[in-house]
Amino acid sequence: MFGPFERAVAGRYLRARRGERFVSVIAIFSLVGIALGVATLIIVMAVMNGFQADLMGRILGLNGDLTIYGQGRTISQYEDVTRKVRSVPGVVSATPLVEGQVLLSAGAYNSGGMVHGLTPQGLKDLKAVSSSIIAGSLDDFGPDDSIVVGVTMAERAGLGIGSGLTLVSPDGAATAFGTVPRVRRYRVVAIFDAGVNDYNSSVVFLPMHAAQIYFQMPNKATQIQVMTEDAEHVRPVTLAIENAVGDPGLRVLDWTNANNALFGAVQVEQNVMFLILTLIILVAAFNVISSLIMMVKDKTADIAVLRTIGASRGAIMRIFLMCGAFVGVTGTVAGTALGVVFCMNIERIRQLLQKLTGTNLFNPEVYYLEHLPAKLVWGQVVEVIVMALGLSLLATLYPSWRAAKTDPVEALRHE
């Protein structure tokens, strides 16, 4: 399609001589614009993918792929229900727990929090917590006075291993003087860092028997958390569990329903960012059009001479197509390389920028996560490359067609 003659002339036009520097500068800016647009789009999409994957992984790792609730009541026969759930194909684990809200108090520290009552084995099966113990040991978790807290809460309340943490529940005993809150002091045996700031600062773990006593739920559970083999395809397992349990008083809620608003918002934001950042590449494509039009205007006499010595209109069009394609392809390749390298080292770059500026660029209390995630999806990278190359090619069509339509007689006459 592109012969040696077209390639030689296109290469000559891309090497600007004296008096042609301005056109060359515009072409360079077009190339840089395409590269920056492609790199920015790849980086932003990778960060959005990483944020979604990290957020989903942490939420599911802490709360389970699906949860079984008692509608307006506790689950009294939770052991039988758990046994039925574990027999469903695709279920990895099923853990009953007691959940309740309390006021957490330690010295001058007072804050609302959530208590999760689990068996020692159930807490060990919760890998997001059991694999992130930074102080103490889960081997000491079992006595009714033991408690496990998050690192953020420990820092704010000044807690360490062996420290006391008081739980106050407003749902207390009724007396002649009104309702008396239940107050119980527990001993910290382990501190975890689950990587989610809200979880680290507001969730504590009690032994299940102790939680049942504290919340006055003997031999009862408030929910059953279930982990599955494939969280992406949890819906068939949910339906199978509903059929296996067979209790209309129990509700099975999977993560797609429990967190659909959160993940839906992330997906919408990802799509909007893709459209917005595509405009950067579109603007760079318009720069390619302007640079090629100026090149055609500057090379009018050359086009006329080429036509008189036998060059066809198709050859002229291919020459300028190659000039524009070189800018688009080079910019796309450079932008892809820059974006991929940046994504692979994004956390190092963030740490470096934080040291240079002395500011916290990714506050975990604001962004819910404690590091800047990035996940390259190569399918999306290919989409960005195809889109950039397509826009660059479309940008070359009109200037190339205009160059091919140049009348050599009129061009030489005005020259």
Side-chain angles (χ1 to χ4, degrees):
M1 182 177 179
F2 297 99
F5 169 71
E6 289 93 345
R7 293 198 299 269
V9 176
R12 165 64 190 81
Y13 285 171
L14 288 171
R15 297 189 297 271
R17 294 182 301 180
R18 182 178 301 176
E20 302 172 353
R21 299 296 184 187
F22 185 67
V23 176
S24 179
V25 168
I26 294 179
I28 291 173
F29 276 113
S30 303
L31 187 151
V32 173
I34 293 175
L36 291 178
V38 170
T40 302
L41 190 52
I42 290 175
I43 292 169
V44 171
M45 295 303 293
V47 171
M48 295 296 295
N49 290 331
F51 180 82
Q52 184 177 10
D54 203 342
L55 188 62
M56 186 175 76
R58 292 182 185 277
I59 289 178
L60 298 185
L62 294 169
N63 299 314
D65 299 342
L66 58 91
T67 306
I68 302 174
Y69 296 94
Q71 295 185 2
R73 61 180 177 85
T74 57
I75 305 175
S76 55
Q77 303 296 328
Y78 66 88
E79 293 181 349
D80 293 336
V81 176
T82 302
R83 192 179 304 110
K84 293 178 181 178
V85 171
R86 288 172 179 166
S87 64
V88 174
V91 173
V92 175
S93 65
T95 305
L97 64 86
V98 176
E99 185 180 68
Q101 291 184 334
V102 296
L103 174 67
L104 304 168
S105 178
Y109 173 81
N110 294 280
S111 178
M114 186 72 67
V115 173
H116 287 181
L118 290 169
T119 62
Q121 185 59 45
L123 185 56
K124 291 180 180 178
D125 292 339
L126 190 61
K127 298 302 181 182
V129 175
S130 60
S131 62
S132 60
I133 300 297
I134 62 174
S137 173
L138 292 184
D139 294 336
D140 300 325
F141 181 75
D144 287 350
D145 65 338
S146 59
I147 192 170
V148 177
V149 302
V151 61
T152 305
M153 181 186 298
E155 292 174 353
R156 292 177 179 176
L159 299 175
I161 303 303
S163 300
L165 180 64
T166 301
L167 272 58
V168 182
S169 174
D171 185 15
T175 66
F177 301 98
T179 302
V180 178
R182 289 193 304 275
V183 181
R184 178 80 187 267
R185 187 176 178 84
Y186 296 89
R187 178 176 55 87
V188 176
V189 297
I191 300 173
F192 66 87
D193 182 5
V196 179
N197 187 71
D198 286 1
Y199 210 85
N200 289 340
S201 62
S202 61
V203 176
V204 298
F205 292 94
L206 285 178
M208 189 167 186
H209 182 258
Q212 290 173 335
I213 295 174
Y214 182 81
F215 290 109
Q216 298 179 349
M217 299 180 185
N219 300 318
K220 295 179 181 179
T222 58
Q223 59 183 265
I224 300 174
Q225 290 184 353
V226 182
M227 300 295 292
T228 63
E229 294 177 353
D230 186 3
E232 296 287 341
H233 303 89
V234 71
R235 191 59 188 166
V237 181
T238 302
L239 298 176
I241 290 176
E242 290 176 348
N243 295 330
V245 172
D247 187 347
L250 297 179
R251 183 185 179 192
V252 183
L253 188 66
D254 59 49
W255 69 269
T256 59
N257 295 322
N259 301 284
N260 59 347
L262 176 61
F263 292 111
V266 173
Q267 186 63 47
V268 170
E269 184 177 0
Q270 187 177 28
N271 295 335
V272 171
M273 291 299 294
F274 184 88
L275 293 176
I276 293 175
L277 293 173
T278 301
L279 297 178
I280 299 177
I281 302 177
L282 188 60
V283 170
F286 277 107
N287 288 337
V288 173
I289 295 176
S290 62
S291 64
L292 280 180
I293 289 177
M294 293 185 65
M295 181 181 293
V296 171
K297 185 69 175 177
D298 188 63
K299 302 296 184 182
T300 300
D302 293 0
I303 295 171
V305 172
L306 290 174
R307 290 296 310 281
T308 57
I309 64 175
S312 64
R313 288 185 175 182
I316 299 299
M317 188 171 183
R318 288 192 292 270
I319 288 171
F320 287 95
L321 277 175
M322 291 182 65
C323 292
F326 174 82
V327 174
V329 171
T330 305
T332 301
V333 172
T336 302
L338 177 62
V340 170
V341 171
F342 192 97
C343 291
M344 290 182 174
N345 299 276
I346 192 168
E347 186 62 23
R348 297 188 185 93
I349 295 173
R350 182 183 74 91
Q351 297 289 348
L352 177 61
L353 291 177
Q354 284 189 168
K355 291 180 180 179
L356 294 177
T357 60
T359 58
N360 188 356
L361 300 178
F362 195 76
N363 191 342
E365 296 184 1
V366 177
Y367 297 102
Y368 196 61
L369 301 173
E370 297 192 347
H371 68 281
L372 185 59
K375 179 183 178 182
L376 277 172
V377 178
W378 293 107
Q380 289 183 345
V381 174
V382 172
E383 290 178 2
V384 173
I385 293 173
V386 171
M387 181 190 63
L389 292 177
L391 289 175
S392 302
L393 180 61
L394 289 175
T396 63
L397 292 180
Y398 173 72
S400 302
W401 174 82
R402 183 172 174 177
K405 295 288 289 184
T406 301
D407 186 351
V409 175
E410 292 296 325
L412 290 176
R413 180 183 300 167
H414 291 295
E415 184 68 22

